[in-house]
Amino acid sequence: MQSFRTEIENPVVAKDILALEAKIHEFKEGKLDEEKFRSLRLARGIYGQRQPGVQMIRIKLPYGKVTSNQLRRICGVSDEYSTGRLHITTRQDIQIHYVDVNRTPELWSQLEKDDVTIREACGNTVRNVTASETAGIDVNEPFDVSPYAHALFQYFLRNPISQEMGRKFKVSFSASDEDTGLSYMHDLGFIAKIENGVRGFKVLLGGGLGSQPRHADELFSFLPSDKIIPLMDGVVRVFDRFGERKSRAKARLKFLMKDIGLDGFKVLLEEEQKAVPYTSYPIDAETYPKIKIGDAVAPKVEIKDQQTFEKWKSTNLVPQKQEGFVAIGIKVLLGDFYTDKARLLADLVEKYAAGEVRMTLRQNILVPYIKEELVPFFYTELEKMGFVEIGYNTALDITACPGTDTCNLGIASSTGIAEELERIIKKEYPHYIANPDVAIKISGCMNACGQHNMANIGFQGMSIRTKNKLVAPALQVLLGGGNLGDGNGRYADKVVKVPSKRGPEALRLILDDFDKNGNGRSYADYYADKGQMYFYDILTHLSDADNLTPEDFIDWGTTERYEKAIGVGECAGVVIDLIATLLFESEEKIENARETFEEGKWAASIYHSYSSMVNSAKAILTAEKTKTNTHIGIIKDFDTKFVVTGKIDLGSSFEELVLQLNKNEPTEVFAKGYMENAKTVLKKIEAYRKQELVEA
């Protein structure tokens, strides 16, 4: 493996990329534990695939915004290091697959030339900050949330308080009370509001999907915009210290909220306020880049098929609050498109629109700032690219994760069944092509990357076993979810599990019943009226596994017999580190504390020192085979086993020493003294460990 020369001007980014290259070298030479390397690469957007020897790279795109230059850069990287396919995620990222891990530093270096990062796109970090794709153009928005989403993204990128949490942390911004950012299913959700002329947000806390979805609690009905970053700083600190770390199934913020309740969380949040470096963090929205419309003169065009054009306009045009402009929605089947078309799109919007596109939460593309008179021209150009499929954000627009195509956790195909269901809707239910009310979503497993459990009609990949112990692919059918607006939503009920090949028949029965009895109501309201058992009675006969045919044992999109094969999930994997690796890591954290201290970043230095002390304690507790589920648990257990017993003398309790963190403001004096404490803790633990090994 040869080293490469990074040409990145930003020294922080360059150092980060070179550090990744060094860690890859260490791993290849057997000097870095495999599990530790996994944790490190995940925090840099490098995710293991179902296929051995290659990686998926997740490119982090705050609130889905991509400029023409950035899109061309992503295309170049995909062609050079991947397969030329770009996959849009339900968190407005772009993923590329089949990448050699050895080439990831140079790949990252290429992306950063146009200010595109993969840092913290995966792993136990603050993930991509998502937002309504209509932010800035939404006819109902009180103001553009883009500057606020961007400021929050920048604040937490590389922030030491959010690098090694128990699990991932997700944030969203909604442009209006329609809550198209889906605040109720996020760890933190912000909905734009104005009170007494002041910009701010309704704040939702502790939501999540997965196998146990939880509706977020309302933390504030209104919080001024200068308070949102200090708030999240405190929330992340609480989650980092009190959140579960051992059991991945219980490690999200929603489980902490379930354990201690909203009031209990507020108490912990208040205790962190002295440690938070800012009480106010004003965000100057006026400095956010202004829109500049391309001035190229578009040729006049003639629409040959006027009827098809009008149908497309009815489903794919999105109104803008800016007079004379509309946005165009591009329906991207399963979120997959290719670099040849992406380059053409980048050039088109640069010349004739605002030089940007938005990746959407439903795996589509939105092109804002199209002059109304240029809609026919854009239609003809997009038609050449294959980008004029009707049904943007309608029932025909099915969301699906990659499932068993590339994901280690996939149980059953999600992309295969999605294509079949779209085919059925087009052919048998054309009246749903323009229906924006019914949302259909599919996930290949319980982790809900396809957001199936908040859909009106959802499918989750599973398996089913016959009496003869044969295993076939299956789908859990979920019904009744939906976004109710202003931070309110319903999660879907699990109704019945059916063999995958019966998924289309299940959809037919559901839509036939709705057509017959819906009476103009929304599907969510209709389901709420009828109830779970009504639909169970309609669908239960499809669940019979005693009469499966040979075809039922072949999943959608494949010709081979189904075999349930689940790998090690990496979306938020919690790793067990070797003791020596942990202690070495504590040294690195102290070095980080020193560097940030010298840069005058007192709060960052303090948190690096805190992380070092907890990490050192974790190492010695791991040696004693003591559970290290939470930071607060590590702190208390270290006192019980080592300080109270006199094995290690710190001059005070470990808890008193460490939790000076939230009892002092982040000053230079405190940061320096706290760093010395971290050095002392590490030195004494290393000495104890060395003596322990000698006596052993």
Side-chain angles (χ1 to χ4, degrees), residues 184-187 205-217 249 252-255 257-258 445-448 451-455 460 478-479 481-482 489-494:
Y184 66 93
M185 50 167 265
H186 282 78
D187 295 295
L205 173 74
L209 294 179
S211 61
Q212 300 180 54
R214 182 182 190 273
H215 195 294
D217 296 311
R252 291 296 300 275
L253 177 62
K254 63 183 179 181
F255 293 105
M257 294 294 297
K258 181 180 178 182
C445 75
M446 65 182 180
N447 285 297
Q451 302 177 341
H452 65 276
N453 43 16
M454 52 79 63
Q460 174 194 327
L478 301 94
L479 299 174
R490 293 178 185 150
Y491 288 123
D493 293 325
K494 295 177 181 177

Side-chain angles (χ1 to χ4, degrees), residues 46-80:
I46 306 166
Y47 187 103
Q49 278 188 211
R50 194 178 190 92
Q51 296 78 9
V54 291
Q55 314 291 321
M56 175 271 283
I57 304 299
R58 184 175 292 149
I59 299 169
K60 196 172 187 179
L61 304 173
Y63 48 100
K65 180 180 175 180
V66 191
T67 67
S68 291
N69 284 340
Q70 289 173 328
L71 186 53
R72 283 190 286 261
R73 176 68 64 182
I74 291 169
C75 289
V77 161
S78 181
D79 287 341
E80 172 68 22

